[in-house]
Amino acid sequence: GALADARQLFIMSLRRTLNALADSGRQVIVFGQVPTPKLDPISCIARARFNNQDESLCATMLIEDRAETEALVTQALRTAAQDNPKIQIVLPYKRLCGIHGCPIVANHRLLYIDGVHLSSAGARLAAIDLETNIASALAMTEAKKLRE
């Protein structure tokens, strides 16, 4: 259907872009889909506080709700990257979620500023893996320069 066609077009376009960047000698890092909470985290917590209810009900996106999206996005990114050694994929689900779901609060800090965007605390948490990938990409680039 139309959705499958749109997904294929996205993958082909992304592959073309990634390959062009990699072919130009660059190390490419693709940052995957950030898990999206089912409810707007700020509204949910504000409502819970106003109604004197338990905020923990807002704190987790269920694992089942994110599994399909995570699988589709991860598959699309991996298909587009085609195991190219110059392309690394960072999957924020690995850092932002656990076996029981994806919290919207960590260390008493909101991880989202709305229903789809990470807060600075969420971005710092997700950036841990990104920093590792950047260091790896820089090391590969330096090693290549030494060989030339």
Side-chain angles (χ1 to χ4, degrees):
L3 184 59
D5 291 344
R7 188 175 297 124
Q8 282 306 111
L9 180 60
F10 169 76
I11 291 170
M12 287 179 0
S13 299
L14 181 59
R15 179 181 295 147
R16 208 171 16 253
T17 301
L18 293 175
N19 286 335
L21 289 168
D23 291 347
S24 73
R26 292 174 172 82
Q27 291 291 322
V28 181
I29 300 171
V30 179
F31 195 79
Q33 173 70 37
V34 171
T36 52
K38 197 169 196 172
L39 304 169
D40 175 40
I42 295 173
S43 297
C44 187
I45 288 175
R47 207 171 19 261
R49 287 180 181 175
F50 181 79
N51 293 320
N52 204 24
Q53 295 175 330
D54 184 5
E55 292 175 28
S56 68
L57 299 175
C58 302
T60 302
M61 180 175 79
L62 296 177
I63 207 87
E64 299 81 23
D65 293 337
R66 74 171 179 86
E68 184 180 358
T69 301
E70 177 185 2
L72 285 172
V73 171
T74 300
Q75 178 187 17
L77 294 178
R78 288 194 171 134
T79 301
Q82 292 182 314
D83 296 322
N84 185 327
K86 291 184 176 181
I87 302 170
Q88 298 179 54
I89 299 172
V90 176
L91 300 172
Y93 281 98
K94 290 182 177 182
R95 181 67 57 182
L96 295 171
C97 300
I99 59 169
H100 298 294
C102 306
I104 61 169
V105 175
N107 298 323
H108 306 291
R109 295 193 181 271
L110 280 171
L111 299 179
Y112 295 85
I113 58 171
D114 58 26
V116 293
H117 297 98
L118 292 174
S119 66
S120 60
R124 278 194 297 278
L125 187 59
I128 293 169
D129 292 329
L130 187 57
E131 289 170 3
T132 302
N133 286 76
I134 290 171
S136 172
L138 289 172
M140 285 186 217
T141 301
E142 289 303 312
K144 181 183 173 199
K145 284 181 185 175
L146 291 175
R147 287 192 305 269
E148 292 175 351

